[in-house]
Amino acid sequence: MDMPVTPRPRRVAITGYGAISSMGANADAIWQAIMAYRVGYKRYTHDDPAITARYFGFIDDFGREQMRPFPKKTSKMLPLFAKYCLVAAEEAIGMAFGDTGLDDICTPFDRGVMLGTGWGGLDTANANNNDYRQTGVATSFATVMSMCNAATAGVTMNWNFRGVQNSPVAACATGTIAIGEAYEAIRSGRAKVMLAGGSESLKEQFNVWSVDVIQALSKEQDDIRRACCPFSQDRSGFVLSEGAAVLCLEDYELARQRGARILGEITGYANFSDAYDMTAPAEDMQARVQVIRQVCVQAGVAPEDIGYVNLHGTSTPLNDVNETNALKEALGQAAHAIPMSSTKSYTGHLIGAAGALEAVLCLKAIEHRTIPATIHLDRPDPECDLNYVANQHLQGQDIHNALNLSFGFGGANAGVMIARAE
């Protein structure tokens, strides 16, 4: 009896990306802001005096103009995080396919969507609940506007993506997990094209308070350089930000045959759990160590061949030391020579969108041969002793492999390896 032959895993190209955050309305604007050492957060004072955090990376000027390209039938039912995803997806699709019709690339059932979030439509759910309690009436779309898969649904409907779809919810690791799972869908032959990434918007006052009250947010009240300063002695918590980032992943051979510009390649992915605590990283670091090692194994990349690590780097007392020590255990002596940085020092923490935006920034770093600095690193923590590229960008870097790491509440840990296009 003939045994079935397992098909060889397919290579996965990156052919487009898009993003929106308080740093800028698209990926190029965000990168240029980082290159100019600008930050996307500023000082806010909430009406509720119980909220002690003062620095946030909110998008202040998003409205009807940004949603004009999308049909009202869809957009009127979407919460803000999902609207951000539509904008980022449009940029990614435009970069990947230009004027070529999607049906000329592949069938609707061969293209899928994997867009995640941390809190989803929680802001909208609370706002609608407030309306209902005060007046007895709320929008009839309240249920669908609260769904964590609202962004995935909106994107699939707008561009007729009828293939593999899911909406990962894994706190701060969400965006990276979405990219990794989309990579696996193409790698296994279940899809030819995938949109993957994450989105977040959390600024309703109760929701902000609920994060602040557990002491997760930055305690800094006045000095923006201390508000978000990963790996510094002055760090006191993360800066809550919002936005979205979406990558277009594609079967490598399909992209090559159609003459697409290949921006990079996903070569490795791993995802392990702490199984330890809802907010604190596991003291044994073993899930993080496994993520780093297994990504390298799948990608076939030795530690000394990693040209850049985009760190989770939240500016929280626990994460930054834990992440540093995990990298040293996973990569050995090579860890000290690899340039690494936390781009959250510019963007703040986009929670469900963080890993996806940081994947975009890895692609930008590879393209421009520039490793963005970790800014505000004025007083390094002696326990954080790796090369975080403090305060000054590193130019002229020949980056063949970039490792993107994301770790989240609930013990979620994930990473992807992004290789330079051949």
Side-chain angles (χ1 to χ4, degrees):
M1 176 179 173
D2 292 336
M3 297 295 291
V5 177
T6 302
R8 175 179 290 183
R10 302 182 185 196
R11 294 172 65 187
V12 180
I14 304 166
T15 55
Y17 53 74
I20 179 172
S21 81
S22 57
M23 299 281 290
N26 55 62
D28 282 346
I30 294 168
W31 176 255
Q32 290 305 318
I34 290 173
M35 290 297 97
Y37 300 98
R38 296 198 300 271
V39 300
Y41 45 88
K42 61 184 179 181
R43 200 173 188 277
Y44 285 83
T45 301
H46 286 84
D47 294 337
D48 184 353
I51 298 173
T52 59
R54 289 291 176 264
Y55 287 91
F56 297 89
F58 295 147
I59 299 172
D60 292 326
D61 56 353
F62 188 88
R64 292 182 179 177
E65 186 60 35
Q66 289 84 352
M67 294 304 295
R68 198 175 299 279
F70 310 109
K72 289 183 181 179
K73 179 183 177 181
T74 301
S75 62
K76 70 181 180 181
M77 291 186 283
L78 296 181
L80 191 54
F81 90 94
K83 292 178 180 179
Y84 290 158
C85 246
L86 278 179
V87 171
E90 183 183 45
E91 183 184 357
I93 290 170
M95 184 181 296
F97 305 116
D99 295 330
T100 303
L102 291 172
D103 290 344
D104 294 331
I105 304 298
C106 61
T107 74
F109 293 99
D110 285 322
R111 52 183 190 256
V113 176
M114 197 78 64
L115 297 174
T117 182
W119 287 299
L122 192 58
D123 258 14
T124 307
N126 275 15
N128 288 332
N129 181 59
N130 292 341
D131 288 345
Y132 181 76
R133 289 170 64 90
Q134 291 166 12
T135 68
V137 179
T139 174
S140 58
F141 303 132
T143 294
V144 294
M145 294 176 81
S146 70
M147 298 189 315
C148 287
N149 69 328
T152 296
V155 169
T156 60
M157 288 186 282
N158 196 69
W159 286 282
N160 197 31
F161 277 62
R162 303 189 68 184
V164 176
Q165 63 82 37
N166 210 335
S167 304
V169 178
C172 322
T174 297
T176 298
I177 288 174
I179 293 167
E181 294 300 321
Y183 156 76
E184 292 288 4
I186 295 175
R187 188 168 177 264
S188 66
R190 291 183 294 130
K192 293 181 179 178
V193 172
M194 291 291 297
L195 294 180
S199 186
E200 206 73 74
S201 179
L202 198 79
K203 44 192 179 182
E204 192 268 342
Q205 289 202 129
F206 169 75
N207 290 330
V208 173
W209 171 84
S210 71
V211 185
D212 189 37
V213 76
I214 62 171
Q215 303 294 301
L217 300 184
S218 175
K219 317 295 183 296
E220 180 56 40
Q221 301 290 292
D222 301 303
D223 185 354
I224 199 166
R225 291 191 67 83
R226 293 162 64 110
C228 187
C229 50
F231 309 104
S232 165
Q233 295 182 62
D234 298 318
R235 70 190 188 277
S236 62
F238 68 80
V239 167
L240 180 63
S241 297
E242 61 174 342
V246 176
L247 276 65
C248 182
L249 308 185
E250 195 169 338
D251 181 293
Y252 198 99
E253 283 306 304
L254 172 64
R256 187 185 61 79
Q257 289 170 11
R258 71 179 186 84
R261 180 187 174 211
I262 296 176
L263 308 171
E265 181 178 358
I266 305 287
T267 56
Y269 163 60
N271 170 9
F272 290 91
S273 178
D274 282 344
Y276 172 75
D277 189 85
M278 277 295 181
T279 58
E283 293 176 1
D284 69 4
M285 306 175 297
Q286 289 311 296
R288 294 182 173 192
V289 170
Q290 286 295 317
V291 163
I292 296 163
R293 287 178 175 167
Q294 292 304 315
V295 169
C296 290
V297 168
Q298 190 177 70
V301 173
E304 55 269 23
D305 293 327
I306 300 171
Y308 172 53
V309 180
N310 189 293
L311 299 160
H312 189 55
T314 54
S315 191
T316 56
L318 288 178
N319 173 81
D320 293 4
V321 173
N322 189 288
E323 183 171 16
T324 296
N325 290 333
L327 282 156
K328 289 190 286 189
E329 182 172 336
L331 300 176
Q333 194 57 38
H336 293 272
I338 301 169
M340 309 178 183
S341 68
S342 171
T343 49
K344 288 184 180 71
S345 57
Y346 307 89
T347 65
H349 195 344
L350 278 74
I351 312 297
L357 178 57
E358 287 150 13
V360 171
L361 298 178
C362 285
L363 289 161
K364 288 289 192 183
I366 291 169
E367 177 188 359
H368 296 283
R369 305 179 72 238
T370 299
I371 292 171
T374 304
I375 54 169
H376 304 161
L377 190 46
D378 302 327
R379 296 201 314 139
D381 184 338
E383 292 189 76
C384 300
D385 57 353
L386 296 176
N387 177 12
Y388 307 116
V389 191
N391 296 324
Q392 190 71 37
H393 302 320
L394 200 55
Q395 310 279 353
Q397 300 298 297
D398 196 18
I399 305 167
H400 289 270
N401 300 287
L403 174 62
N404 187 35
L405 297 174
S406 297
F407 311 128
F409 282 1
N413 302 277
V416 293
M417 189 75 76
I418 300 173
R420 189 173 70 181
E422 294 178 353

